[in-house]
Amino acid sequence: MTLFFTVATINYLPFAVSLLDSAKKYHPDFEFCICLADYITDDEIERNELMNKYPIVQLHELGADEFDFITQNYNPMQLANCSKVLFAKYFLEQVHINQVIFCDSDTFFFGPLPKSTVNDHEIILSPHFTQPPSIDMKRQELEVLNAGLYNGGFFKLRKSAQAFRYIDWLRERSVKDCIYDFKRGYYGEQLWLNLVPLYFKDTFIERNEGVNVAYWNLHEREISEVNGSFFVNNTTPLSFFHYSGWDYFAPEEISKWALITSEMRPEIKPLLLKYHAALEANEYEHYIKKTNYYTSNNNLNKKSFFSALKKKYFKR
């Protein structure tokens, strides 16, 4: 059985449900789960229609040794990113689950994953891009050199000895060191992914142009629509789009970080508006201001503690 999961905080629940709705349309045979890097009572879940659409596993249910540290010291983004590997291990340890597929909650499916992505390989990563941008867009390359060759917003792991070695390796390096500090070589869990193809021989780099389309690879991927279906570079079906940096209240803009604008690429607008409609239907404006149970009052809000934490990690 393939389990498809995403990690979200409560305020990102509309993103998570929209993603799973879109993925289930093309993969009805998968199991689906929302992993909550947050806390809510079982009674609240039972009373909430949106939270009843898919099974929810909460972070505290994993019994992870790192639980106290990460909930006391991280912001919501760090908490969500560092817990991906913990949830992956939790699922792969279940007898009936043969593999897991992860997507960040701010992604949306427009077609199925390639069959080879689903059926082959033990570890699959997605590169940010595979073709160089023009020299006037070299900032894209500089950002990837800083933030990692592979995007942590998508991966597949098939149950195997190698996959568990990979999980243990990444867990040791990224869960309690999920820090964002370019100067010292930290970018959450993502920079560690650069080493994965060297260390784990059955790692496959998914170069399919329809997978993980986002602002960072639009220089090599043009979108077209034919009879309601979307294609990349006229030939490859669009699997899913990653809306990193997209703003619900400026829905026709691709991303706050993009060098390419929707005026330059008007064919992207239908993807943006479809996503906006999905989030609106799933009560985005109701949820987005909700605070994270763990991070609203944790040590991150204590300046003296954060300074001590940085000194601990970054001793010269």
Side-chain angles (χ1 to χ4, degrees):
M1 173 63 69
T2 297
L3 183 129
F4 184 103
F5 76 101
T6 191
V7 178
T9 48
I10 290 171
N11 65 321
Y12 262 55
L13 190 64
F15 290 86
V17 171
S18 298
L19 165 61
L20 267 57
D21 284 345
S22 69
K24 187 175 182 179
K25 178 179 178 181
Y26 301 102
H27 297 286
D29 54 326
F30 288 0
E31 286 190 10
F32 293 89
C33 187
I34 294 173
C35 298
L36 206 60
D38 212 330
Y39 175 75
I40 191 168
T41 66
D42 292 339
D43 286 343
E44 289 177 284
I45 293 174
E46 286 297 320
R47 295 195 304 267
N48 188 298
E49 184 176 350
L50 198 64
M51 293 185 189
N52 275 293
K53 292 193 73 172
Y54 297 99
I56 290 177
V57 176
Q58 300 193 59
L59 187 58
H60 72 271
E61 297 178 59
L62 305 187
D65 293 339
E66 302 92 339
F67 177 80
D68 288 342
F69 180 89
I70 64 178
T71 55
Q72 291 170 11
N73 299 315
Y74 284 166
N75 65 32
M77 182 177 73
Q78 290 172 295
L79 194 57
N81 283 343
C82 81
S83 62
K84 297 173 192 176
V85 68
L86 301 177
F87 283 110
K89 181 178 177 65
Y90 170 80
F91 290 127
L92 285 175
E93 287 178 337
Q94 298 182 26
V95 174
H96 73 291
I97 295 174
N98 299 319
Q99 63 179 10
V100 294
I101 295 174
F102 169 84
C103 275
D104 272 351
S105 59
D106 58 347
T107 54
F108 194 83
F109 276 68
F110 293 91
L113 289 165
K115 290 183 179 179
S116 60
T117 305
V118 176
N119 296 329
D120 302 334
H121 307 290
E122 295 180 12
I123 301 171
I124 295 181
L125 300 178
S126 174
H128 282 103
F129 46 79
T130 61
Q131 299 294 327
S134 59
I135 190 62
D136 60 329
M137 289 182 63
K138 69 176 181 180
R139 195 190 85 186
Q140 294 288 92
E141 291 176 316
L142 291 171
E143 287 180 356
V144 165
L145 290 173
N146 273 320
L149 302 179
Y150 308 107
N151 179 248
F154 167 78
F155 63 79
K156 189 194 93 165
L157 296 174
R158 177 185 290 172
K159 184 180 292 183
S160 66
Q162 178 176 243
F164 282 114
R165 287 198 304 272
Y166 164 72
I167 287 171
D168 291 342
W169 170 83
L170 185 60
R171 179 178 182 171
E172 290 174 346
R173 285 155 178 79
S174 69
V175 174
K176 295 177 80 172
D177 287 333
C178 195
I179 296 165
Y180 295 82
D181 190 322
F182 283 129
K183 291 182 179 179
R184 299 185 184 268
Y186 281 83
Y187 193 76
E189 88 288 5
Q190 202 161 264
L191 276 171
W192 295 107
L193 301 182
N194 288 351
L195 300 170
V196 175
L198 302 177
Y199 292 167
F200 304 95
K201 69 176 183 178
D202 194 33
T203 299
F204 181 74
I205 308 307
E206 180 54 84
R207 294 171 176 265
N208 184 290
E209 295 173 333
V211 171
N212 214 6
V213 180
Y215 78 85
W216 51 72
N217 53 38
L218 288 179
H219 69 275
E220 64 180 15
R221 307 185 193 192
E222 294 187 1
I223 308 297
S224 58
E225 184 177 3
V226 180
N227 297 326
S229 296
F230 292 93
F231 293 85
V232 181
N233 296 337
N234 296 317
T235 56
T236 304
L238 172 62
S239 180
F240 67 88
F241 195 95
H242 193 156
Y243 293 82
S244 180
W246 176 83
D247 184 353
Y248 177 89
F249 296 105
E252 294 190 10
E253 293 303 319
I254 295 170
S255 171
K256 62 184 177 182
W257 298 309
L259 295 176
I260 294 172
T261 67
S262 55
E263 285 71 29
M264 298 164 64
R265 297 287 295 277
E267 84 276 11
I268 307 293
K269 285 187 179 181
L271 304 181
L272 307 176
L273 296 178
K274 283 178 181 289
Y275 193 50
H276 185 272
L279 289 176
E280 184 177 36
N282 284 320
E283 304 179 76
Y284 172 92
E285 294 184 46
H286 172 73
Y287 282 93
I288 195 60
K289 294 183 180 179
K290 292 185 178 294
T291 58
N292 184 279
Y293 176 85
Y294 298 116
T295 66
S296 57
N297 292 300
N298 70 7
N299 288 324
L300 196 65
N301 296 299
K302 302 173 185 177
K303 186 175 180 181
S304 60
F305 180 88
F306 185 65
S307 297
L309 188 67
K310 290 192 74 173
K311 288 180 181 178
K312 173 185 175 182
Y313 282 124
F314 303 134
K315 292 178 180 178
R316 291 186 180 275

